[in-house]
Every structure is written in C-alpha cells, then in structure tokens.
Amino acid sequence: MVGFDRAGYGESDPNPNRSVKSAALDVEELADALGLGPKFYVIGISLGCHAVWGALKYIPERIAGAAMMAPVVNYWWPGFPADLAAEVYNKQEVGDQWALRVSHYAPGILHWWMDQSWLPTSTVVAGTTPLPNKRDAEIRAKLKADGTFQQVNHGSTNVITAEVLPILPNEISLILQKMELATQQGIHESYYRDMMVMFGKWEFDPMSLPKPPCPVHIWQGDEDGLVPVVLQRHIASRLSWVNYHELPATGHFLSPVPGLGDTVLQTLFGNAKQ
C-alpha cells in the first residue's frame, strides 16, 4: 500500500494550478515511478476523493478498482437536481455556505476570506460543525482537546497494488502522528487549495461518466454531518455501475469503524490470494 502527500501537503511541491485532472495524473506518474504495473487500485478518503473521480475520468484504463470513503461532493455538479442541491446547501451553517461559495466563485480571495475573523467562515475548519454521529463527535473532541485539530490533514488518497493485502491502518492514529507535517507549507497551500479544487468548477460531471473498466465502490455513513447522505444516494442512483454501501448509525470518520478496513480490501480484491 502506498500513501502519498498530494501537492502542497507534507513535503510535496505546491502546485498553484492544481486541479482534479492534475491530481489524477500525479497518481499515474507516481504509480509508474514506483513500477506498480499497468493497473493499480485507488482508495480515496473524504476530500481526497476528487483524485479518484479524476482517475476514473482521465486514466480509467489504469485503474483495477476504486473505493471512495465518505467522498465529499460538489454542490455545483450539474447532475444534482437544482432544488435538491439548494435545499441541502442551505441547511449548512452560514459560514460553510460562504466558504464554499467563495471557493467556487472567487477562489482567489479564499485565503484572505478564511483569515478574517469578522467574516462568516468554515465551521468545518474551525471544528464547530454540528456532528449528529456520536463517534464523530468524540473523535473531534479528542483532536480538539490536545490542541491539534487545526493541523489535521483533511483528506488523503492512497494507491495500492494487487500484490499486497495489508490490514487498512487506523488513519486516525496516523493523523495524530503526522498532522503537523501535513500542513507544514501552510493551510493555504494544502487544505484551502483542496477546497478550491473540490468546490471549484470541474471540467466534467462525475454523474456523466461512462462505466469504467473496473469496479467502483462508495462507502457512506447515514449520519454523516459533513457529506449529505441524500446527495450521495443521488450519485449512486445516477451511476448504476457504482456499488454503494451505506453504513447505518455511522458518521463521516469511517477509519475507526470496526472491521471496515478489512471489508474494503476484501471487497476490492475478492478472494484473491496474492
């Protein structure tokens, strides 16, 4: 299993022009540099899932299988009914509505906007978003209690080969160990640029993608306070080739869900003994 820091995270060079497409091409370039072979699997988590959608769009012939864990959605994807997207968008905290609106329409001022205490800004970044799921609330409380929440890496993308079948590590513990390194170049180069990419204007609509030559799976909790489950259900209903797994009484942080890591890998690889 190979995990990497996307542009602007950790020690990876920043890319002011990064996009969904560049994220996918970075995955391909890394896989080739490491000699992972003609096909490989990808797993995306939360905001990092834009790289998986990009891979399905731009390098589908290289993907052996894809899994997305609570993938963040873009409210401006054309495939969403306008009334449904607006209804869910308006249920967010006012600060989050503004942060996403600026990310989409005026990304050039996002860093300035988020740095102004007198403006409504993201409750997700501040760690004040109401979380309906008990486990999510406990995890965030732990991160905030030791003063490290602001340095959490909010999304990641992993590339794994078919030759290994490790147990998926507990990403929460890894985050606790490496969160300071994740945003060492500044939150603008890492998380804010992620917001610009994820909530900006995409070159394609994921709900218009043709069926890729590989299985695709989405795992989503029905008590996710950060990604609206109704929009995830709509994506699954539009894309018949997506294998949708909805987890009851589960929130956004899927890594700590007992046994889910094994389930994801077993689902991707089947019964192969490699």
Side-chain angles (χ1 to χ4, degrees):
M1 179 178 289
V2 178
F4 69 98
D5 296 327
R6 296 197 314 282
Y9 282 100
E11 297 183 5
S12 289
D13 291 342
N15 179 4
N17 297 315
R18 67 185 175 101
S19 64
V20 177
K21 183 175 183 178
S22 73
L25 297 182
D26 284 347
V27 169
E28 182 178 41
E29 183 177 353
L30 175 63
D32 289 342
L34 296 176
L36 300 187
K39 288 182 178 289
F40 45 86
Y41 294 85
V42 290
I43 298 177
I45 302 172
S46 188
L47 198 58
C49 288
H50 70 263
V52 179
W53 285 120
L56 295 174
K57 166 65 176 180
Y58 297 110
I59 55 170
E61 72 285 351
R62 302 297 306 277
I63 308 302
M68 289 181 272
M69 315 295 290
V72 173
V73 301
N74 184 320
Y75 294 89
W76 291 272
W77 283 340
F80 287 134
D83 56 345
L84 177 62
E87 177 185 354
V88 178
Y89 180 87
N90 291 329
K91 288 181 179 179
Q92 297 181 101
E93 299 295 303
V94 173
D96 294 304
Q97 293 182 39
W98 273 104
L100 299 189
R101 189 178 290 121
V102 172
S103 297
H104 186 78
Y105 293 108
I109 66 168
L110 180 63
H111 189 199
W112 172 85
W113 183 281
M114 297 289 286
D115 200 38
Q116 306 304 308
S117 60
W118 55 279
L119 289 174
T121 57
S122 173
T123 68
V124 177
V125 175
T128 58
T129 309
L131 298 177
N133 181 261
K134 181 179 179 181
R135 181 189 284 118
D136 279 2
E138 290 175 347
I139 291 172
R140 189 177 65 184
K142 180 179 179 181
L143 294 173
K144 294 183 71 174
D146 60 15
T148 56
F149 179 83
Q150 293 295 342
Q151 296 172 317
V152 171
N153 178 356
H154 290 262
S156 61
T157 305
N158 296 327
V159 181
I160 55 180
T161 70
E163 286 70 36
V164 293
L165 281 173
I167 296 177
L168 194 66
N170 186 329
E171 285 85 359
I172 293 299
S173 65
L174 294 180
I175 286 173
L176 288 170
Q177 296 170 23
K178 300 180 179 181
M179 59 184 63
E180 184 174 356
L181 296 177
T183 56
Q184 63 182 282
Q185 299 182 58
I187 195 170
H188 176 64
E189 288 297 344
S190 51
Y191 187 47
Y192 291 170
R193 288 207 186 278
D194 257 355
M195 292 173 64
M196 297 177 200
V197 172
M198 183 66 236
F199 302 109
K201 299 174 182 178
W202 285 38
E203 296 178 348
F204 66 96
D205 179 2
M207 283 169 277
S208 296
L209 288 175
K211 182 179 179 180
C214 65
V216 178
H217 297 267
I218 290 178
W219 275 267
Q220 171 74 33
D222 67 350
E223 293 182 356
D224 193 322
L226 302 179
V227 179
V229 66
V230 294
L231 295 186
Q232 211 74 271
R233 290 169 181 165
H234 184 80
I235 293 172
S237 71
R238 287 286 306 272
L239 298 175
S240 60
W241 43 266
V242 164
N243 300 284
Y244 180 62
H245 312 271
E246 189 169 301
L247 306 175
T250 303
H252 185 71
F253 303 135
L254 300 186
S255 300
V257 176
L260 183 57
D262 289 337
T263 297
V264 171
L265 295 184
Q266 289 168 0
T267 301
L268 280 178
F269 298 143
N271 296 318
K273 302 293 183 181
Q274 300 185 40

